Amino acid sequence: MATLEIRDLHVSVEEAAGTQREILRGVDLDINAGETHAIMGPNGSGKSTLAYAIAGHPKYHVTRGSVTLDGENVLAMSVDARARAGLFLAMQYPIEVPGVSVSNFLRTAVTAVRGEAPKLRDFMKNLRAAMADLSIDPAFAERNLNEGFSGGEKKRHEVLQLELLNPTIAVLDETDSGLDIDALKVVSEGINRFRADPSHGVLLITHYPRLLRYVPPDYVHVFVAGRIVRQGGPELADELERDGYEKFITAEAAA
Amino acid sequence: MAGLQGALETSAPVSRLHEQQSYNPADFPVPTGREEEWRFTPLRRLRGLHGADPLPEGHVTVDVEAGPEVKAEKAGRGDPRVGASYVPADRVSARAYASFTEATVISVPAEAVTSAPTIIRVRGHGTEGASFGHTVVDVGPMARATLVLDHQGSATYADNVELLVGDGASLDVISLQDWNDDAVHLSHHHARLGQDARISHTVVSFGGDVVRIVPTVSYAGRGGDAELNGLYFADAGQHLEHRLFVNHTVPDCRSRVLYKGALKGDGAHTVWIGDVLIGAEAIGTDTYEYNRNLVLSDGARADSVPNLEILTGEVRGAGHASANGRLEDTHLFYLMARGIPYEEARRLVIQGFFGELLDKIRVPDLRERVAAAVEAELG
């Protein structure tokens, strides 16, 4: 069974004038297949940095620590190799790529991840079914990647990719943000279909507990100032909903 | 950023830049490289086309595959249709006009809707000497036609192309500069649009040592619509220059300019000049021009100069945008984060960049050939 293991992860981001600012200050986290973890924390606590660092975004530099997937050194892999190894990041702000159609992109990505091109007929059939499950208009397939998509369309499209690429460990960064309640239900169903497979693990990153009512996690981690300050079960999400992050921020500032 | 040039302002207003016109080369002084219209062009590589010394006869052949509804003829210098719509605007153009021996005249009868494109194949058989050409395309009222100018081989060549689009007529032109690496080609294309006439003019430049194409548009009646498109890819050492001039002198006409280029390799140089003049009488004009250049390596340089001069307060729309940049890291990251390897991600992004221009080429064989050429350039 797959395990993503994060140890003492320190990450800096390059700012203007070539200076580095440390965002992650020692993160330890294990995500096993069959588990759903939620990272919750205030804005600016470094949650997205963790997601991007796992995916290998060039802006983020790992200065210390390790990330392994089933013992393989993820940090030594290129961005595309990480995806092919079974990691997936649903982005908070999916990027618009002009002139590249959704269907061409998805088929190229599926081919890359599987190592062979799916039959066009099978691929189109799967794509149509997956789009229908997420209430995505079939005309979407011919549109340019994320170009002119609404916030909700972008998020559904991220979950569509999750289902088609079928990774081992999925990191979902604020996949609930900007969704109305109907879209949130559709997106949650997609995530639940993915995690119903016991060989899959999920890391949900969210600011609001709303998503967790539809996708109940097994473990909740409170993230403040670049590290995990408390861990617990699903009840921790309820506590955060009731009390907010204030006491954790105060405790961290005092530490 | 090294190798990148932003928009450079020119010294004179657009209205002054295009004043001089003459059929006589002697009316234009031999350029020195300091003139506004020659300052980007490597004169030393023109093999004397811009000079005053006589040049031996070159080796260019012109063959026409005319659409079934179209009449194609060779015409002598004295033919009244030659030079009827265009007066040369620079020295090389005037020299080409003064020097060609035989013009190609394509006529599309009024109301004819052509069933196949007319293809003019210009073939160079050597760079020695110089060759001069002249083409007239006369599209009758309400007719529809497609013209392909296909340039291949090795040549030193200067020519003028007159495109007369009659009232209510529609003409698609695709000019493909697919020369060998040693070709020098300087060309003026002038479109004159009748009332409610439309032209879609697409320039594709890949090959050649120096290619300089000057598409210009004038309007003879209201409702004229000009779409000027360009796609170019410069490799190491290549100079590809496109200078456009849209002269809005008539009310209620439209122009759209969309040029995109990519550059790769040391000394690759592209120049895009977009001059648009909206005269005092051209109320209700609607114009927009756009140029974008993708600089794929160090040592390449893209010059991009939009120039819009508006002499009336009553336009429908007038704007321009110009940008040079590198491949976006964020685009590559997104594709690679889905498992797509770097080279393939890069290919997808560049093909996507040119995609909207490929769609403008409505001749399927040609569109595939251009797509394949883009692909080959990326290899």
Side-chain angles (χ1 to χ4, degrees):
Chain A
M1 294 304 267
T3 302
L4 181 73
E5 198 178 278
I6 300 168
R7 286 287 172 276
D8 192 31
L9 191 68
H10 290 248
V11 174
S12 292
V13 61
E14 198 172 313
E15 297 195 320
T19 56
Q20 299 277 329
R21 187 162 64 93
E22 186 168 66
I23 310 266
L24 298 191
R25 303 184 301 133
V27 177
D28 291 283
L29 185 62
D30 282 3
I31 297 159
N32 296 305
E35 296 174 355
T36 298
H37 294 247
I39 284 192
M40 303 188 65
N43 288 327
S45 58
K47 305 188 298 294
S48 286
T49 297
L50 176 63
Y52 279 128
I54 293 170
H57 192 290
K59 207 178 114 190
Y60 300 89
H61 303 293
V62 174
T63 54
R64 203 201 301 175
S66 67
V67 179
T68 58
L69 179 64
D70 297 330
E72 295 287 327
N73 180 4
V74 169
L75 300 179
M77 298 178 195
S78 59
V79 173
D80 51 313
R82 295 179 195 202
R84 292 196 300 274
L87 291 172
F88 180 87
L89 168 61
M91 296 188 202
Q92 184 180 4
Y93 302 110
I95 288 148
E96 301 183 2
V97 187
V100 178
S101 75
V102 166
S103 63
N104 187 18
F105 160 69
L106 289 174
R107 189 148 183 263
T108 307
V110 167
T111 302
V113 165
R114 290 192 197 157
E116 60 174 355
K119 285 208 180 75
L120 184 60
R121 226 178 115 207
D122 296 343
F123 171 76
M124 291 312 290
K125 204 176 128 196
N126 288 342
L127 176 59
R128 271 193 293 270
M131 287 173 88
D133 284 342
L134 290 163
S135 308
I136 296 174
D137 183 338
F140 228 71
E142 296 319 313
R143 286 173 65 181
N144 286 338
L145 192 47
N146 291 320
E147 217 175 42
F149 288 19
S150 70
E153 286 170 339
K154 284 182 178 171
K155 296 304 170 74
R156 284 176 206 218
H157 183 242
E158 293 293 289
V159 176
L160 175 68
Q161 294 172 54
L162 170 70
E163 296 201 72
L164 287 174
L165 297 178
N166 196 34
T168 315
I169 304 285
V171 180
L172 308 175
D173 187 11
E174 306 266 1
T175 298
D176 53 327
S177 72
L179 295 183
D180 63 32
I181 193 69
D182 293 330
L184 180 67
K185 281 180 184 164
V186 166
V187 160
S188 301
E189 281 162 17
I191 300 168
N192 286 331
R193 279 192 295 273
F194 174 77
R195 72 193 192 117
D197 184 329
S199 68
H200 291 163
V202 174
L203 175 60
L204 301 168
I205 293 177
T206 183
H207 179 72
Y208 299 104
R210 186 178 68 150
L211 173 69
L212 307 184
R213 290 201 288 269
Y214 298 92
V215 187
D218 304 303
Y219 305 94
V220 173
H221 313 266
V222 182
F223 210 74
V224 174
R227 59 181 157 205
I228 292 166
V229 296
R230 193 162 150 208
Q231 295 178 294
E235 71 288 345
L236 187 52
D238 300 330
E239 187 186 327
L240 286 169
E241 184 156 33
R242 200 175 57 239
D243 304 339
Y245 296 111
E246 205 50 50
K247 65 178 177 190
F248 296 106
I249 298 170
T250 313
E252 185 64 14
Chain B
M1 207 184 290
L4 295 186
Q5 287 291 312
L8 304 166
E9 291 306 319
T10 51
S11 50
V14 178
S15 50
R16 297 296 308 278
L17 292 173
H18 301 272
E19 277 178 341
Q20 195 187 4
Q21 291 192 304
S22 171
Y23 293 106
N24 182 4
D27 288 342
F28 301 92
V30 174
T32 63
R34 288 189 293 274
E35 302 77 6
E36 179 56 41
E37 73 265 38
W38 291 107
R39 69 186 173 110
F40 293 106
T41 313
L43 296 173
R44 275 173 309 166
R45 285 156 62 184
L46 298 189
R47 304 197 183 114
L49 280 173
H50 64 298
D53 295 336
L55 297 165
E57 176 127 357
H59 314 277
V60 166
T61 55
V62 178
D63 290 300
V64 181
E65 180 186 329
E69 303 81 3
V70 169
K71 191 172 164 196
E73 305 159 76
K74 296 291 180 186
R77 298 190 50 83
D79 193 292
R81 292 169 295 185
V82 170
S85 75
Y86 172 66
V87 185
D90 71 33
R91 185 180 171 89
V92 175
S93 178
R95 186 175 196 177
Y97 190 82
S99 308
F100 77 88
T101 51
E102 196 177 50
T104 303
V105 178
I106 308 290
S107 316
V108 185
E111 297 181 28
V113 176
T114 60
S115 54
T118 293
I119 303 167
I120 301 179
R121 295 191 175 88
V122 180
R123 294 290 178 271
H125 308 283
T127 58
E128 313 78 33
S131 304
F132 300 96
H134 196 95
T135 306
V136 178
V137 179
D138 188 356
V139 183
M142 307 307 222
R144 301 177 69 87
T146 299
L147 173 76
V148 176
L149 290 156
D150 181 4
H151 304 89
Q152 291 183 46
S154 298
T156 304
Y157 186 54
D159 72 326
N160 294 298
V161 178
E162 298 182 67
L163 305 163
L164 289 91
V165 190
D167 291 350
S170 172
L171 176 64
D172 276 47
V173 178
I174 301 127
S175 181
L176 187 57
Q177 285 64 242
D178 195 10
W179 296 107
N180 292 348
D181 286 345
D182 56 1
V184 170
H185 182 202
L186 279 71
S187 184
H188 277 244
H189 292 198
H190 180 68
R192 192 179 68 187
L193 302 186
Q195 184 177 327
D196 297 323
R198 167 202 164 270
I199 190 169
S200 167
H201 182 275
T202 303
V203 172
V204 179
S205 299
F206 285 111
D209 179 51
V210 178
V211 171
R212 178 178 144 128
I213 311 287
V214 184
T216 59
V217 176
S218 68
Y219 299 88
R222 290 189 180 206
D225 186 352
E227 232 187 46
L228 304 175
N229 310 303
L231 185 167
Y232 46 95
F233 204 124
D235 291 328
Q238 273 191 305
H239 177 92
L240 304 179
E241 178 167 348
H242 301 95
R243 312 181 66 92
L244 295 93
F245 176 43
V246 182
N247 193 7
H248 282 278
T249 55
V250 173
D252 301 323
C253 291
R254 178 177 178 272
S255 58
R256 286 288 180 277
V257 175
L258 173 66
Y259 267 65
K260 284 184 169 185
L263 302 86
K264 192 180 70 177
D266 206 28
H269 188 197
T270 66
V271 178
W272 176 85
I273 310 291
D275 288 351
V276 176
L277 174 61
I278 304 176
E281 62 286 11
I283 57 171
T285 293
D286 180 5
T287 180
Y288 193 81
E289 48 174 356
Y290 182 93
N291 175 233
R292 226 192 124 193
N293 297 295
L294 207 47
V295 182
L296 299 172
S297 76
D298 289 332
R301 173 187 165 122
D303 288 293
S304 180
V305 188
N307 261 316
L308 178 60
E309 187 181 347
I310 308 173
L311 302 174
T312 172
E314 295 173 68
V315 295
R316 189 167 303 149
H320 61 74
S322 156
N324 295 337
R326 293 178 184 263
L327 272 186
E328 297 245 6
D329 284 347
T330 53
H331 292 169
L332 295 174
F333 173 71
Y334 189 78
L335 299 180
M336 289 174 71
R338 301 311 182 228
I340 301 171
Y342 172 80
E343 278 303 327
E344 203 172 352
R346 182 174 168 274
R347 197 171 287 264
L348 274 177
V349 172
I350 295 171
Q351 282 168 343
F353 174 75
F354 284 128
E356 61 180 326
L357 281 160
L358 289 174
D359 290 344
K360 305 277 187 191
I361 303 172
R362 284 174 280 264
V363 180
D365 293 354
L366 205 59
R367 185 173 57 239
E368 276 166 36
R369 189 172 142 200
V370 173
V374 170
E375 181 83 12
E377 295 282 355
L378 296 174

